[in-house]
Amino acid sequence: MSNQPFTHLDVLESESIHIMREVAAECKNPALLFSGGKDSIVMLRLAEKAFRPARFPFPLVHIDTEHNFPEVIACRDKLASDLGERLIVRSLDGSIKKGTIVLKNADQGRNAFQSVTLLETIAEFGFDACIGGARRDEEKARAKERIFSFRDEFGQWDPKNQRPELWDTYNTRVHAGENIRVFPISNWTEMDIWEYIAREKLYIPDIYYAHEREVIRRDNGILPVSHLVQPRPGETVEKMMVRFRTVGDMTCTCPVESHARNAQEIIEETAITRITERGATRMDDQTSEASMELRKKEGYF
Amino acid sequence: MSNTTQLLRFITAGSVDDGKSTLIGRLLHDSKSIFEDQLSAITKTSERRGGMGAVDLSLLTDGLQAEREQGITIDVAYRYFATPKRKFIIGDTPGHEQYTRNMVTAASTANLAIILIDARKGVLTQTRRHTFIASLVGVPHIVLAVNKMDMVGYSEETFDTICAEYRAFAAQLGLHEITFIPMSALNGDMVVERGENLNWYQGSPLLELLENVVIDHDLNTTDFRYPVQWVCRPQTQEYHDFRGYMGRIESGEIAVGDEITILPSGRTTKVKEIVTYDGNLQRAYAPQSVTLTLTDEIDISRGDMFVKSATMPQASKEFEAMLCWLSESPLDLSRKYIIKHTTRVVKCVFARLEYRVDVNTLEQHSSATLNMNDIARVAMKVQQPLVFDSYIKNRFTGSFIVIDEATNNTVAAGMII
């Protein structure tokens, strides 16, 4: 009996498709969280592979911080419209107007507040499952999270009380008001994502590729100059060839110096990089050793 | 990374004292899979805890705040690293007595288990427990890593004595394919590099073994099993009459034109097309996810299973299984529970508790209930017939989980006998 050789990407892809189909079949009202970032673009392709020639059995949902890079938002809208799938956008500004998010100052980082708007959106539409593009290699708390991660009615993750997850037999059951977060690419690494983008020739925002950009150096990082980030007294604006490894809140997402202009060149850079993806690019994860764990306990993805 | 890189999933079983976290740290460090910011974070923590200069590699795997406070690993953590030959997923499981369930969980998807022994202590109760669980869950490859060889003067005689004792125990469980490796994770001997201290050892260092162990036959390649996950009916103009059955081939293979039997109904038909997003296929294999269309219109829904008539599974409302109880609430024999088996969900009752296995001595005891971490042989009855194989024959169609309907918690893992 001869099996054709399957690569690690084939195996990961099939696992992710299997997970998405389980959600579609067992959850009553799921949604796919889609930000226009590279991981969620990979998720869209996996959803196409899982459900075509039919439409997706769930809408796309974006929780918009209003601190996103315009290139990412443009890509989000283009991909949703090219695919002909429904996109629901809920903005943190909506929660701020309602008073459910109170900012200390208008320009502060907004990642941690996404949980509030996400939980409001889940309640508004009655979603019982949110499919997200988080990966276990990103962060220490994520490394311990299940693929089907149960959240109580407050959206909280309880790391000490997770459901055991065996074989590929997923427990999708929730009571009314509770929900499940599902991470079909849990087992993918940053390298797998780039190899998949290259293999599938996926269209991603061009700020992932090297480009010249005005930046300032602040708190051991490089920050992109934008309407939200302006030089403070004593800081100088430099021009630098950079790319983004992650694209989040503009006020705390740092680019890395790079000359990689396509996915293949990024794969080569990723193979020799000595800094983790979040370590290089997310100032908000560096505030304490447990930042992500604390955010997750409050309902973060 | 070449285009033919394979994926290997393995677990490590042993306690903190055996140097398990140090071994994983060493694998990651010496294969250059630790990043500078991770190293600087654990260096800071090592210093804050008053470490004596050396970086504590075990801190790499301690993910959660509670673990860092208590200095123990409390749950299954997954770690990823790659070499040019393979990508690896490590399921890191704690070795503490109360956490048998975590090892069962991590072992359920593993191709290989590394069981760690402290060379000074030899085969311990926990070694037997870990080996029993690995054999119960059917991990295809077992590696016995005899660690801390530096503490016994790198003695070949000590190593041989431990191997002989372990081999005798493993034979009782029917385990014969075991690889033995002496090592010092602390000094890096026989983990990634051979080192200078174990020249009498003729085998490969651990990483070389992980890169080369043959895993192609870990999947059942003979019995076609295809649980239907989702029925695809686009109802668009272009695909007006399209009716596809989506699922993953759990074992075996299928080709266009093959005759299949649909269970539990027993109706037969032929495969018309194997549809994928990347184009139709003539033939597909486990573990591919595909969409099948059939030559006849038959009423088929999620939970049905496609098989080939030549290799039929069993279909029954009664079966026996080995069970690992995972929940803090003990088994209540008077209650109904829910079973999820492949894509089918049914109500069940526990007809009989045959015996409970003492995981330390392998002795069988009668028992009135099951508590967390208990392993037992049980007889079960289900409301609708299940289509299954024995777990030994097929890990996918022989396994199930038990769910408590009141809490929705996963309370047990079962392996059909």
Side-chain angles (χ1 to χ4, degrees), chain A residues 153-184:
Chain A
E153 56 202 311
F154 299 101
Q156 295 177 103
W157 179 54
D158 180 357
K160 280 188 164 177
N161 193 22
Q162 300 192 77
R163 292 177 181 172
E165 197 157 82
L166 295 107
W167 301 289
D168 301 313
T169 314
Y170 302 107
N171 179 350
T172 62
R173 299 171 73 91
V174 292
H175 291 299
E178 301 166 342
N179 69 86
I180 289 258
R181 305 289 166 82
V182 187
F183 304 112

Side-chain angles (χ1 to χ4, degrees), chain A residues 202-268:
Chain A
L202 297 180
Y203 174 78
I204 58 172
D206 52 14
I207 60 173
Y208 279 112
Y209 302 118
H211 57 286
E212 194 177 61
R213 181 176 283 266
E214 292 191 332
V215 298
I216 51 172
R217 293 176 188 277
R218 183 181 294 170
D219 305 335
N220 299 325
I222 307 168
L223 271 181
V225 175
S226 68
H227 70 281
L228 295 167
V229 177
Q230 289 291 316
R232 292 173 187 160
E235 291 176 337
T236 48
V237 175
E238 299 171 51
K239 281 198 170 173
M240 209 183 262
M241 283 298 281
V242 296
R243 67 177 170 91
F244 288 92
R245 282 173 76 181
T246 67
V247 293
D249 185 322
M250 273 195 283
T251 64
C252 59
T253 304
C254 310
V256 294
E257 282 194 79
S258 170
H259 290 88
R261 285 158 306 173
N262 55 49
Q264 194 51 46
E265 289 177 10
I266 292 175
I267 290 170
E268 285 157 24

Side-chain angles (χ1 to χ4, degrees), chain A residues 1 7-8 14-15 18 22 26 49 143-144 165 167-168 170-171 175 187 192 195 274 276 293, chain B residues 1 3 5 9 34 36-37 65 67 80 87 105 108 229 248 253 278 287 302 340 406 408 410:
Chain A
M1 191 67 53
T7 69
H8 68 285
S14 182
E15 176 178 271
H18 176 254
E22 284 299 285
E26 292 211 335
K49 295 210 178 190
K144 307 224 160 176
E165 197 157 82
W167 301 289
D168 301 313
Y170 302 107
N171 179 350
H175 291 299
N187 286 326
D192 299 327
E195 288 178 346
R274 301 304 309 141
T276 61
E293 184 183 345
Chain B
M1 200 66 47
N3 290 326
T5 318
R9 298 174 200 242
I34 294 182
E36 280 167 14
D37 51 321
Q65 204 172 23
E67 295 171 89
Y80 302 81
K87 315 234 7 165
T105 302
S108 70
Q229 270 191 288
R248 186 174 58 178
E253 60 180 83
D278 301 296
R302 174 177 166 87
K340 183 172 180 187
N408 283 333
T410 304

Side-chain angles (χ1 to χ4, degrees), chain A residues 9-193:
Chain A
L9 281 185
D10 297 329
V11 174
L12 291 172
E13 180 190 72
S14 182
E15 176 178 271
S16 304
I17 292 170
H18 176 254
I19 291 163
M20 286 199 184
R21 287 171 174 173
E22 284 299 285
V23 178
E26 292 211 335
C27 299
K28 291 190 190 75
N29 187 15
L32 177 70
L33 300 174
F34 175 62
S35 66
K38 68 180 191 313
D39 298 312
S40 66
I41 290 170
V42 165
M43 297 275 290
L44 279 198
R45 172 52 54 89
L46 293 167
E48 286 183 88
K49 295 210 178 190
F51 300 110
R52 293 294 185 244
R55 291 180 52 131
F56 296 172
F58 37 66
L60 313 179
V61 171
H62 184 218
I63 304 303
D64 190 348
T65 59
E66 307 281 351
H67 276 189
N68 286 296
F69 294 92
E71 295 89 342
V72 176
I73 297 302
C75 184
R76 175 197 77 186
D77 293 341
K78 174 183 158 43
L79 286 173
S81 126
D82 287 354
L83 288 173
E85 299 291 344
R86 182 158 81 113
L87 173 67
I88 296 167
V89 178
R90 286 295 177 269
S91 161
L92 263 63
D93 283 350
S95 307
I96 292 166
K97 274 192 206 121
K98 269 193 284 184
T100 46
I101 292 177
V102 181
L103 299 173
K104 282 198 206 110
N105 64 70
D107 293 344
Q108 78 182 102
R110 290 183 168 189
N111 275 347
F113 295 106
Q114 282 177 279
S115 317
V116 176
T117 309
L118 174 63
L119 294 178
E120 288 171 359
T121 308
I122 287 171
E124 178 187 349
F125 292 91
F127 294 130
D128 61 345
C130 291
I131 309 169
R135 309 188 320 262
R136 285 175 177 152
D137 80 321
E138 284 180 85
E139 208 278 331
K140 288 200 275 191
R142 292 225 202 270
K144 307 224 160 176
E145 190 164 14
R146 305 291 188 253
I147 292 173
F148 283 72
S149 182
F150 172 76
R151 303 301 172 95
D152 67 14
E153 56 202 311
F154 299 101
Q156 295 177 103
W157 179 54
D158 180 357
K160 280 188 164 177
N161 193 22
Q162 300 192 77
R163 292 177 181 172
E165 197 157 82
L166 295 107
W167 301 289
D168 301 313
T169 314
Y170 302 107
N171 179 350
T172 62
R173 299 171 73 91
V174 292
H175 291 299
E178 301 166 342
N179 69 86
I180 289 258
R181 305 289 166 82
V182 187
F183 304 112
I185 57 169
S186 286
N187 286 326
W188 297 50
T189 63
E190 183 187 17
M191 181 63 112
D192 299 327
I193 293 291

Side-chain angles (χ1 to χ4, degrees), chain B residues 145-159:
Chain B
V146 181
N147 192 26
K148 303 201 179 181
M149 288 298 292
D150 52 308
M151 308 290 277
V152 295
Y154 293 101
S155 157
E156 184 174 6
E157 199 188 331
T158 305
F159 176 70

